[in-house]
């Protein structure tokens, strides 16, 4: 994978010859499907040799998935395993909310007989993966004209709401995870107060993840349907029953198929712009905002029509800073697994 962008990550082992020919397994662990890849580190890059997807619910632990992958490809002499998990990693342990597993580096070592195991937050992994994204997979949402190195923010609504950042130390970017998606949502208008009350009855505490995720997109829709009395068309009823809501509502908005589709997407994008604004200001991310994940990629034509940007720069006193922030949509869907591999291969001398 050739990197052709501005990212210069802090990877202390990148120049070390000892990391050449390292054989490793990386995984993007998710609630429904886990993607596992076999990589070889060579010449400051990680090269994908084999990849397979597994239904997560079919296994009782990540170690079972890893061992199945090793068996499927008859792999030997694996040096490292790196697992990107949808949740916080603390002291080599993680208990993702959307999974019923407790993951521990030491336990995975024992069960897979691989000497080195790394757990990394999935959005932190995605931040590392930006280094290997080809220039053609970055779509400009807003180009400020000039580029000044600085902190970078990463926002990824998907099954959950991932948020991460990269700290600019003056020479390189250092990725780090956050759990900002679980901060509380706050309403701005009277309609949003109604929306907040609607969600509070369901969740008690209303987080941004309850608004900006696949479940959040459905929450926006059912508020418009149930509280604002927007009619649910018969074709959408069938799509909801077939568990195909996200794709259906977005495609419906693209095709201008029904008023409620367009209203849902426009409302969702308003909230996305607002949380993007908050994340950028909190991280002072003058180096740029990067939108990744399943939903933004599907919403490309809406993100690039200037309306998102106009909502993004709304602020009490910081519009001058926000207007200078470059914004990109990342279309490469493998940043998480590639970033997990890159981190494991080169994070140590």
């Amino acid at each position: 994978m050739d990197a052709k962008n501005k990212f210069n990550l802090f990877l202390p082992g990148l120049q070390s010859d000892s990391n050449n020919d390292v054989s490793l397994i990386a995984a993007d662990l998710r609630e429904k499907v886990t993607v596992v890849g076999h990589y070889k580190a060579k010449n400051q890059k990680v090269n994908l040799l084999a990849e397979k997807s597994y239904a997560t619910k079919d296994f009782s632990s990540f170690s079972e998935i890893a061992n199945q992958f090793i068996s499927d490809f008859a792999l030997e002499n694996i040096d490292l395993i790196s697992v990107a998990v949808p949740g916080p990693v603390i002291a080599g342990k993680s208990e993702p909310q959307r999974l019923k597993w407790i993951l521990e580096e030491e336990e995975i070592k024992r069960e897979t007989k691989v000497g080195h195991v790394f757990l990394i937050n999935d959005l932190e992994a995605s931040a590392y993966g930006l280094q290997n994204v080809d220039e053609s997979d970055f779509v400009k949402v807003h180009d400020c004209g000039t580029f000044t190195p600085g902190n970078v923010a990463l926002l990824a609504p998907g099954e959950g709401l991932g948020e991460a950042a990269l700290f600019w130390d003056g020479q390189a970017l250092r990725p780090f995870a956050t759990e900002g998606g679980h901060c509380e949502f706050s309403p701005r208008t009277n309609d949003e107060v109604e929306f907040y009350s609607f969600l509070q009855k369901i969740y008690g505490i209303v987080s941004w993840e309850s608004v900006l995720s696949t479940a959040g997109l459905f929450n926006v829709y059912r508020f418009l349907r149930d509280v604002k009395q927007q009619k649910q068309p018969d074709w959408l009823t069938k799509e909801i029953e077939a568990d195909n809501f996200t794709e259906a509502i977005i495609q419906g908005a693209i095709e201008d198929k029904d008023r409620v589709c367009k209203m849902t997407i426009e409302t969702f994008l308003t909230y996305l712009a607002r949380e993007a604004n908050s994340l950028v200001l909190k991280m002072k991310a003058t180096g740029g905002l990067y939108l990744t994940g399943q939903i933004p990629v599907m919403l490309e034509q809406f993100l690039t029509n200037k309306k998102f940007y106009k909502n993004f720069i709304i602020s009490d006193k910081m519009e001058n800073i926000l207007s200078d922030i470059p914004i990109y949509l990342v279309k490469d869907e493998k940043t998480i697994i590639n970033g997990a591999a890159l981190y494991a291969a080169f994070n140590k001398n």
Side-chain angles (χ1 to χ4, degrees), residues 208-219:
W208 273 102
E209 188 170 81
S210 304
V211 178
L212 295 175
S213 60
T214 52
L217 184 61
F218 185 68
N219 286 336

Side-chain angles (χ1 to χ4, degrees), residues 87-94 103 119:
V89 177
I90 300 173
K93 298 180 181 180
S94 182
L103 293 98
L119 297 180

